[in-house]
Amino acid sequence: MKTAAAVLCLACLISAGFQMGLALGFPWGEWAMGGRFPGRWPLKFRVVACAQALILIAIGVLAFSSAPLAMGLPSELQILGRRSIPWIFIFTIVAAGLNTITPSRKERWLWGPVTWLMAVSAGTLFFDKA
């Protein structure tokens, strides 16, 4: 369980870093959103990338707090983390599915495996508690 939480947390941080790069205008557009905006994303989508980064950071924190790694964290956060795992599992399954069927070959190649790793890690946390 500790390993699954750590892997999910690390994958979320890496993904959040990528999203923040998009938000800051890095020319990585062909690696996300189906490659619809190669290069630098338009401002509207850069704001969305920033929101996605915040969601990914929250998922990482919740996953971390749900596992025994979180000793010393407030018990309320640990409870919230454990209760959020089913929703995180669903979110990561959807993300993995979308990254598998994306028309962007680069996105499929990079984010498909990462999001499936996130889904397997979240599933491990979910089913370990069942």
Side-chain angles (χ1 to χ4, degrees):
M1 194 159 105
K2 289 180 183 181
T3 303
V7 167
L8 180 54
C9 188
L10 181 62
C12 284
L13 291 177
I14 290 168
S15 299
F18 176 80
Q19 292 295 327
M20 284 307 300
L22 288 170
L24 292 171
F26 286 37
W28 299 337
E30 62 192 321
W31 294 84
M33 292 282 289
R36 192 178 343 158
F37 302 103
R40 187 176 175 177
W41 275 9
L43 180 60
K44 178 170 93 172
F45 288 95
R46 291 169 48 204
V47 171
V48 170
C50 189
Q52 288 175 324
L54 293 174
I55 290 167
L56 287 161
I57 290 168
I59 289 171
V61 168
L62 290 169
F64 181 83
S65 68
S66 75
L69 300 164
M71 289 187 275
L73 289 177
S75 61
E76 295 84 7
L77 182 58
Q78 292 177 15
I79 292 168
L80 179 61
R82 285 191 292 275
R83 288 185 178 164
S84 67
I85 291 301
W87 300 107
I88 291 171
F89 182 45
I90 291 167
F91 176 85
T92 57
I93 288 288
V94 170
L98 292 173
N99 280 300
T100 299
I101 65 169
T102 179
S104 168
R105 177 194 242 158
K106 290 182 178 182
E107 182 179 7
R108 213 172 30 248
W109 175 83
L110 176 62
W111 296 113
V114 171
T115 52
W116 279 112
L117 179 64
M118 291 168 69
V120 168
S121 299
T124 300
L125 293 173
F126 176 70
F127 289 110
D128 192 46
K129 294 183 184 310

